[in-house]
């Protein structure tokens, strides 16, 4: 069942580089591409059908037209790969497509924020690997105000520090996929509703410490739930014992981990390098 499920999931991914669609017919391809490149449709005899919908080297626009994806992940390092024709084709069959132009620096980004917001009239979930300035779209109706949309810069700083802190705080023996899953879920919950309305899909950088604490708490709790902790930290057990009058429910367990994580966090406080000089008054 697991293998069948994995094949089904992998079948939803279509790998495209600067030479077009990557299939099993590509002469030189990375070993990690192998699970995603078998795109041949077979006939009733198990042989490749003659009318293949897509072929090795099919253009991104052609793939978008025939596959009708809901998400574009730009990891190519090919600047301008997401053209206006590609984006408009995608928008024609997806009400609000998800487009992540992750390549950087800016000149290697698959598209810019200004381009994608104008080509979709702002109806897009967009993030990038490079920073982009806010984009103001003209009024869609004569009686409405122009809309300014802000771009989120997708960065692993929102995940990795919290994951590391959660593992260290809990003393987990292993790092599992589930930890990254709960970290991603908690990160999504950290985005304010008002920021979502402005086009942002990642939290504010100014909130990074609180975000890291929440991610770490979720990871530590997941480690406990999966039985990956040989012995719970003594400080955690003491905190739970002192709160014995409280019901041992999910909320209390989460609060106990949040308390421990907070006490494990390092604060950059330094003594001044130059001492103050006082007058003799």
């Amino acid at each position: 069942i697991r293998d069948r499920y994995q094949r089904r999931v992998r079948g939803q991914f279509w790998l495209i580089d600067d030479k077009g669609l990557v299939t099993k017919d590509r002469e030189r391809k990375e070993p990690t591409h192998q699970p995603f490149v078998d795109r041949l449709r077979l006939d009733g005899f198990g042989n490749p059908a003659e009318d293949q919908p897509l072929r090795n080297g099919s253009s991104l626009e052609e793939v978008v037209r025939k596959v009708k994806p809901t998400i574009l992940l730009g990891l190519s390092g090919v600047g301008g790969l997401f053209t206006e024709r590609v984006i408009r084709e995608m928008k024609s069959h997806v009400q609000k497509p998800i487009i992540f132009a992750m390549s950087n620096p800016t000149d290697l980004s698959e598209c810019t924020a200004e381009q994608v917001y104008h080509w979709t009239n702002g109806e897009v979930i967009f993030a990038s690997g490079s920073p982009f300035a806010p984009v103001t779209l003209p009024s869609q109706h004569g009686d409405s105000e122009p809309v300014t949309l802000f771009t989120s810069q997708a960065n692993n700083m929102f995940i990795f520090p919290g994951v590391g802190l959660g593992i260290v705080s809990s003393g987990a023996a292993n790092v599992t996929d589930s930890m990254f899953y709960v970290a991603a879920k908690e990160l999504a919950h950290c985005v304010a509703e008002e920021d979502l309305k402005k086009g942002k899909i990642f939290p504010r950088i100014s909130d990074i410490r609180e975000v890291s604490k929440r991610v770490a708490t979720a990871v530590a709790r997941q480690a406990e739930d999966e039985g990956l902790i040989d012995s719970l930290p003594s400080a955690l057990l003491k905190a739970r014992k002192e709160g014995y009058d409280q019901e041992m429910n999910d909320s209390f367990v989460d609060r106990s981990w949040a308390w421990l994580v907070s006490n494990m966090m390092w604060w950059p406080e330094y003594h001044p390098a130059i001492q103050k000089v006082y007058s003799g008054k």
Side-chain angles (χ1 to χ4, degrees), residues 126-144:
F126 179 73
S128 60
S130 298
F132 288 108
V135 177
T136 299
L137 299 177
S139 170
Q140 299 296 316
H141 308 283
D143 56 347
S144 61

Side-chain angles (χ1 to χ4, degrees), residues 47-94:
N47 300 315
E50 294 182 0
D51 57 336
Q52 293 298 325
L54 293 166
R55 65 193 183 285
N56 182 59
S58 292
S59 69
L60 175 59
E61 183 182 351
E62 186 179 3
V63 174
V64 168
R65 184 183 306 112
K66 293 186 176 181
V67 176
K68 296 179 172 50
T70 57
I71 303 173
L72 279 183
L73 294 179
L75 310 167
S76 65
V78 180
L81 185 64
F82 295 170
T83 64
E84 181 175 358
R85 289 171 62 94
V86 167
I87 300 301
R88 291 192 182 278
E89 176 62 38
M90 187 174 182
K91 183 67 174 69
S92 70
H93 58 79
V94 182

Side-chain angles (χ1 to χ4, degrees), residues 136-175:
T136 299
L137 299 177
S139 170
Q140 299 296 316
H141 308 283
D143 56 347
S144 61
E145 297 291 329
V147 176
T148 299
L149 297 172
F150 296 80
T151 300
S152 288
Q153 186 176 359
N155 196 301
N156 56 24
M157 67 175 289
F158 290 110
I159 287 288
F160 285 177
V163 169
L165 179 59
I167 293 167
V168 171
S169 299
S170 65
N174 297 298
V175 181

Side-chain angles (χ1 to χ4, degrees), residues 217 246-247 249-260:
T217 299
Q246 300 186 45
E247 182 182 355
N249 55 23
D250 286 348
S251 178
F252 176 66
V253 172
D254 286 342
R255 288 200 306 274
S256 65
W257 277 118
W259 172 83
L260 181 67

Side-chain angles (χ1 to χ4, degrees), residues 21-40:
L21 179 65
V22 181
T23 71
K24 64 188 305 181
D25 295 327
R26 178 69 65 87
E27 291 184 2
R28 298 180 62 182
K29 53 184 176 290
E30 297 294 330
T32 52
H33 294 171
Q34 193 59 45
F36 305 98
V37 299
D38 191 0
R39 296 298 176 194
L40 290 179

Side-chain angles (χ1 to χ4, degrees), residues 267-278:
W267 290 87
E269 296 177 348
Y270 301 95
H271 293 291
I274 302 176
Q275 299 296 322
K276 293 181 178 179
V277 177
Y278 296 92

